[in-house]
Amino acid sequence: MSLEKKDEHDHEGWMEERDLTAVEERYLAILMWLDKRLRLVDYLELLEDMYYKVNLQMPKSHTEQYGLDNKFWYWYPLYALGSFSTLAYLIAAVSGALLGFYYAPAAAASAGDPTVAYTSVTSIMVDLNFGYMLRSIHRWSAQVMTAAVFLHMLRVYFTGAYKEPRELNWIIGIVLISMTMVFGYTGYLLPWNQLSYWAGQIGVEMALSIPLAGEWVAQLMFGGFTLTQATLQRMYILHVFFLPFLVTALIAVHIGIVWMQGIAEPH
Amino acid sequence: MSDNDTPETETDGGTGIVPPDDETPTWSERKERSQGLSRLTYEYFERARREDQDLRQESSYVERDVLGFPAWPHEMIRNLALSSFFIGMVLFLSATLPPEMLPPADASSTPSVILPDWYLYWSFGLLKLGPLNPELALLGGQKLMADRTYGVLANLVVVGVITIVPFLNKGSARRPVEQPFWAAVGVFGVVFAFTIAALSVKNLVPIGSHLLFDLTFLLPFVFGFITYAVLKSMREGYMFTLNRRYYRLRPPK
Ligand code: HEM
């Protein structure tokens, strides 16, 4: 017998003896290259394991269980509202990132002129190709998202989908709808026009009327008791930094929980 | 073939590193080795597993409660099918109804109408509940807190009440006809959201402001009662057909 051991790990030889198409060959080559370096196979196993654990726990749906002829409940289309919220959020994120290339959060102004923030928004609308449409898409996706989230909450309420074991998701949902509104509010202030300014004023007054912590909250959120550059900058950072991270993470957790628990079925 | 050329000797690939299969502690070994909280965790998991298994073996699925309905693919297929319509709607709205740009901020001229976006009207409306802030005789007709503090607290109360709903209404998911009371509470809430929003823009609503204030609190009750009455009277017939379908397929024991 030969002293040379047969190479069990001769992947190239294995590939040759198979009759692979060009696409399959490329795919395998890339997969092997990555696997050699990153041990993908371990993680794949982990993922597969998780997938089956999560999915095998799922009971059959009621209609499957009983083989009911009537598989459609007229409320089912309303179950799409959660996905619609996610979609609108994504549209707003993409259009918002593009708007961010052109917007400047500065309340500075030479005497008698509008602020930098205001002029950057008008220049997006007037000078930038497709800029008006971009702003319009961002505005509308935000409005539609808020509406979809509210209607989603009503759907969850009226189908009783918040009950055990979904209380946690209900509470996460409350946080999400609140943050969606704060998202809208901070965005409303960014153009720094008359309504932005006076809505900001109301915000400061609301913050100030919180018992005990009022002044502290006003300082923290609005950077003072009157509206200045600090206010605009805080609103900007909340709108493009804090809230996106928080809301994205929470939506992921929210949908992950739905994935694990399944959609509640009021049958 | 010599004896020392068996597959086992090859598994270490000459490196002397052996996969730790045999040494990996089993679950019960791990449980035995661990103490304190981790031990409790293992013990609980073992119980939970046993409970699951027992329930599964006992189950004859006569009860109507099913915990969940797979998100994939059942739910997502429909959602994906509807997505393009939804995106189309957003683009259509953006193209046909672009937002306007108002005059620049001016701290020295207060506009006649100050409003947040529509979805904050409810919160704005709650700030205008001053007339409900009790004037306490104990404090010599003084109010316990300023009207605006009262308004901010009202916001917190509303959000708080919505948050604890799952801890007030327990059980399993039910259709509105099966729970007329909670459906009525929901309708009350929705109508109140709209009336309080209308209250916040009262100078734009062509109704006397006292009437509007009264309607704000009256309408939710009216709609709540109507919902309750309608669902209650629908309930019998509805449950009859629903149950008939179930029990035809699975006669009760
Ligand atoms: C940014 C906002 C939100 C997003 C993106 C979102 C997304 C989703 C999605 C995709 C689902 C899957 C089922 C469905 O589509 O109906 C879901 C389920 C759920 N959501 Fe939301 N949601 C949001 C806000 C809320 C709010 C405000 C609440 C309630 C206060 C809530 C409570 C729930 C609950 C309890 C479920 C489980 C329902 C079931 O299993 O039938 N969510 N959410």
Side-chain angles (χ1 to χ4, degrees):
Chain A
M1 60 164 284
S2 87
L3 287 176
E4 194 112 11
K5 271 187 275 181
K6 188 159 178 276
D7 186 359
E8 298 250 340
H9 308 296
D10 178 14
H11 298 305
E12 250 116 72
W14 168 72
M15 269 173 72
E16 257 155 45
E17 76 195 34
R18 310 278 315 260
D19 189 19
L20 298 173
T21 65
V23 174
E24 286 169 334
E25 219 163 272
R26 282 296 144 65
Y27 168 74
L28 266 183
I30 295 175
L31 188 65
M32 283 176 187
W33 192 88
L34 286 174
D35 185 44
K36 259 207 176 123
R37 284 149 187 87
L38 304 171
R39 289 313 285 161
L40 285 188
V41 68
D42 292 351
Y43 300 96
L44 275 182
E45 242 165 54
L46 216 78
L47 280 181
E48 200 183 32
D49 200 44
M50 254 161 53
Y51 179 84
Y52 281 109
K53 275 194 183 130
V54 164
N55 282 280
L56 282 179
Q57 278 175 6
M58 220 92 79
K60 273 186 180 169
S61 82
H62 185 81
T63 43
E64 282 171 332
Q65 180 79 33
Y66 296 102
L68 291 183
D69 48 346
N70 183 359
K71 289 193 201 286
F72 188 80
W73 183 29
Y74 43 86
W75 277 46
Y76 277 153
L78 298 180
Y79 284 47
L81 284 163
S83 296
F84 285 173
S85 317
T86 318
L87 261 180
Y89 179 66
L90 293 179
I91 300 175
V94 172
S95 56
L98 293 176
L99 284 175
F101 292 157
Y102 304 99
Y103 173 81
S110 52
D113 283 341
T115 54
V116 174
Y118 185 87
T119 42
S120 68
V121 174
T122 44
S123 101
I124 286 173
M125 292 165 65
V126 179
D127 304 330
L128 184 66
N129 280 338
F130 204 62
Y132 202 170
M133 184 65 181
L134 201 57
R135 177 163 183 240
S136 192
I137 292 176
H138 192 66
R139 261 305 270 266
W140 274 109
S141 56
Q143 313 270 329
V144 167
M145 174 178 171
T146 322
V149 171
F150 181 64
L151 295 176
H152 168 61
M153 181 168 115
L154 295 187
R155 183 300 266 173
V156 169
Y157 180 86
F158 283 107
T159 54
Y162 51 80
K163 297 182 200 173
E164 194 192 303
R166 297 186 176 80
E167 305 98 322
L168 184 62
N169 236 4
W170 174 263
I171 292 169
I172 293 178
I174 302 285
V175 177
L176 273 174
I177 196 173
S178 313
M179 297 226 276
T180 308
M181 288 178 182
V182 179
F183 236 132
Y185 178 78
T186 53
Y188 194 66
L189 294 205
L190 293 184
W192 214 242
N193 58 34
Q194 269 294 61
L195 273 190
S196 313
Y197 187 86
W198 292 96
Q201 201 71 44
I202 294 174
V204 175
E205 277 165 28
M206 274 180 82
L208 280 176
S209 52
I210 297 171
L212 302 179
E215 299 198 349
W216 185 79
V217 172
Q219 294 268 12
L220 183 69
M221 303 301 291
F222 294 93
F225 306 143
T226 53
L227 301 182
T228 58
Q229 167 66 29
T231 318
L232 181 55
Q233 199 147 347
R234 273 164 210 236
M235 291 300 128
Y236 180 69
I237 292 299
L238 281 175
H239 193 79
V240 306
F241 184 78
F242 277 101
L243 288 171
F245 274 106
L246 279 173
V247 171
T248 309
L250 271 183
I251 289 180
V253 173
H254 189 75
I255 294 178
I257 292 178
V258 173
W259 195 273
M260 291 197 282
Q261 296 184 331
I263 310 282
E265 239 202 342
H267 281 276
Chain B
M1 198 184 238
S2 60
D3 272 341
N4 60 359
D5 203 12
T6 52
E8 283 98 270
T9 54
E10 272 181 19
T11 52
D12 67 350
T15 58
I17 301 172
V18 176
D21 297 317
D22 304 335
E23 267 133 77
T24 310
T26 63
W27 201 347
S28 43
E29 275 170 352
R30 276 183 220 180
K31 191 182 88 182
E32 251 125 55
R33 281 187 215 167
S34 51
Q35 307 170 352
L37 293 185
S38 47
R39 160 128 200 175
L40 268 182
T41 312
Y42 281 118
E43 279 175 12
Y44 167 71
F45 277 161
E46 214 159 290
R47 290 181 60 83
R49 269 199 160 177
R50 199 170 333 120
E51 187 193 356
D52 257 17
Q53 198 174 348
D54 290 350
L55 282 178
R56 221 169 278 148
Q57 277 167 353
E58 278 170 22
S59 168
S60 55
Y61 271 107
V62 175
E63 78 275 21
R64 300 220 331 260
D65 299 329
V66 174
L67 263 188
F69 193 50
W72 176 265
H74 304 56
E75 293 292 312
M76 286 314 288
I77 292 286
R78 177 207 50 230
N79 294 355
L80 290 176
L82 293 174
S83 305
S84 50
F85 290 95
F86 180 76
I87 294 177
M89 179 189 78
V90 172
L91 294 182
F92 179 78
L93 283 171
S94 317
T96 50
L97 296 168
E100 53 180 344
M101 188 62 171
L102 296 158
D106 181 358
S108 58
S109 86
T110 315
S112 57
V113 184
I114 301 177
L115 279 182
D117 248 351
W118 57 269
Y119 47 78
L120 287 175
Y121 284 2
W122 64 273
S123 163
F124 202 49
L126 288 174
L127 296 181
K128 301 190 175 172
L129 291 186
L132 289 187
N133 194 354
E135 290 164 11
L136 298 176
L138 206 61
L139 302 174
Q142 291 279 303
K143 294 182 173 183
L144 185 57
M145 52 186 127
D147 281 349
R148 55 180 202 175
T149 311
Y150 188 78
V152 172
L153 281 187
N155 272 280
L156 290 183
V157 168
V158 167
V159 175
V161 167
I162 299 174
T163 308
I164 59 170
V165 163
F167 305 98
L168 299 177
N169 182 16
K170 302 190 173 220
S172 52
R174 284 281 172 257
R175 299 179 183 203
V177 268
E178 296 176 87
Q179 290 203 316
F181 173 73
W182 286 96
V185 170
V187 169
F188 173 93
V190 175
V191 174
F192 183 63
F194 281 100
T195 54
I196 196 81
L199 182 67
S200 78
V201 288
K202 58 183 167 193
N203 37 7
L204 303 181
V205 181
I207 307 180
S209 76
H210 283 291
L211 180 60
L212 185 62
F213 195 84
D214 293 342
L215 282 182
T216 301
F217 297 95
L218 208 57
L219 284 184
F221 280 106
V222 171
F223 281 93
F225 280 126
I226 293 177
T227 311
Y228 187 77
V230 169
L231 290 181
K232 200 75 176 169
S233 55
M234 278 172 64
R235 189 180 159 134
E236 202 172 326
Y238 189 89
M239 294 306 289
F240 179 73
T241 23
L242 207 62
N243 284 331
R244 196 177 49 181
R245 251 198 271 137
Y246 290 110
Y247 294 124
R248 200 192 292 141
L249 285 151
R250 267 192 176 265
K253 277 182 189 167

